[in-house]
């Protein structure tokens, strides 16, 4: 859990400016060159390249810990279940375990982190007024459920990516450690 949280926090300092470029392109309509140069010029100001960093930290810190902890939990439970059901001594070759565990991990992590992602995007697009103000605006507009507007589309991308990513990780790790 802690490793995922630390990794998520550290990656935020790279991803926040990159996502700011993406949002400037998607929402504001700036070209790649214009958005990138605007963000690069703002590296030494609190509003430039770091706009939305607080929400990015919230989105990537705890949820990354949840992602890895959820993966390990699901993998352990599914492995124990498979061993009981198959009455075999190994479940290592079962590709369903890392895929289902990865899908579960992505779902759990995004349910935890999605409100911060929505808040971050609004702040970076220029329609948000800080984390608390943006949260209040979303709740006033759409109720508490508004914090999850768009989650289904996020899961349609994240669940298969996580399932494939963890299957690949487990397959490569097994290959590298086999004698």
């Amino acid at each position: 859990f802690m490793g995922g949280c630390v990794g998520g926090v550290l990656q935020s300092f790279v991803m926040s400016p990159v996502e700011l470029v993406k949002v400037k392109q998607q929402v504001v309509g700036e070209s790649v060159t214009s958005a990138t140069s605007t963000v690069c010029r703002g590296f030494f100001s609190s509003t430039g390249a770091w706009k939305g960093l607080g929400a990015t930290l919230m989105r990537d810190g705890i949820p990354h810990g949840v992602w890895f902890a959820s993966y390990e939990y699901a993998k352990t439970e599914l492995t124990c279940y498979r061993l009981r059901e198959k009455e075999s001594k190994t479940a290592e070759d079962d590709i369903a375990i890392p895929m289902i565990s990865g899908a579960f991990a992505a779902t759990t992590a995004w349910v935890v982190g999605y409100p911060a992602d929505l808040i971050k995007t609004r702040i970076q697009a220029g329609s948000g007024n800080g984390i608390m103000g943006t949260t209040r605006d979303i709740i006033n507009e759409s109720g508490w459920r508004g914090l999850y507007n768009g989650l289904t589309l996020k899961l349609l991308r994240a669940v298969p990516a996580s399932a494939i990513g963890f299957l690949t990780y487990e397959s490569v790790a097994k290959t590298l450690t086999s004698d």
Side-chain angles (χ1 to χ4, degrees):
F1 176 79
M2 287 304 297
C5 290
V6 170
V9 165
L10 292 177
Q11 84 166 16
S12 295
F13 291 97
V14 173
M15 291 312 300
S16 189
V18 169
E19 291 198 11
L20 182 56
V21 170
K22 178 187 82 166
V23 168
K24 284 183 169 294
Q25 287 181 273
Q26 291 176 334
V27 177
V28 182
E30 288 187 31
S31 69
V32 177
T33 308
S34 174
T36 303
S37 64
T38 301
V39 170
C40 287
R41 281 193 307 273
F43 267 111
F44 299 106
S45 76
S46 61
T47 57
W50 307 112
K51 186 176 185 179
L53 177 62
T56 305
L57 288 165
M58 288 173 40
R59 182 203 63 189
D60 290 349
I62 300 296
H64 272 73
V66 168
W67 188 44
F68 285 105
S70 297
Y71 175 75
E72 286 300 323
Y73 170 79
K75 184 174 101 170
T76 300
E77 291 297 314
L78 287 171
T79 300
C80 289
Y81 174 78
R82 291 283 194 190
L83 292 174
R84 281 192 309 270
E85 291 300 310
K86 288 185 176 180
E87 296 180 8
S88 67
K89 294 184 180 185
T90 182
E92 286 179 16
D93 294 330
D94 192 346
I95 68 167
I97 291 174
M99 292 190 77
I100 293 169
S101 300
F104 173 75
T107 303
T108 307
W110 276 111
V111 165
V112 171
Y114 191 77
D117 187 55
L118 182 62
I119 292 163
K120 172 207 69 78
T121 301
R122 286 210 181 179
I123 290 169
Q124 289 181 329
S127 62
N129 185 21
I131 293 170
M132 293 306 293
T134 304
T135 303
R136 236 183 335 269
D137 291 346
I138 292 169
I139 293 169
N140 288 339
E141 291 166 13
S142 308
W144 287 96
R145 294 184 84 167
L147 292 169
Y148 288 92
N149 285 343
L151 176 64
T152 302
L153 288 174
K154 179 66 78 176
L155 292 177
L156 286 172
R157 180 197 63 80
V159 167
S162 184
I164 293 166
F166 277 113
L167 173 63
T168 303
Y169 167 79
E170 295 290 354
S171 298
V172 171
K174 181 180 174 190
T175 301
L176 293 175
T177 58
S178 66
D179 293 329

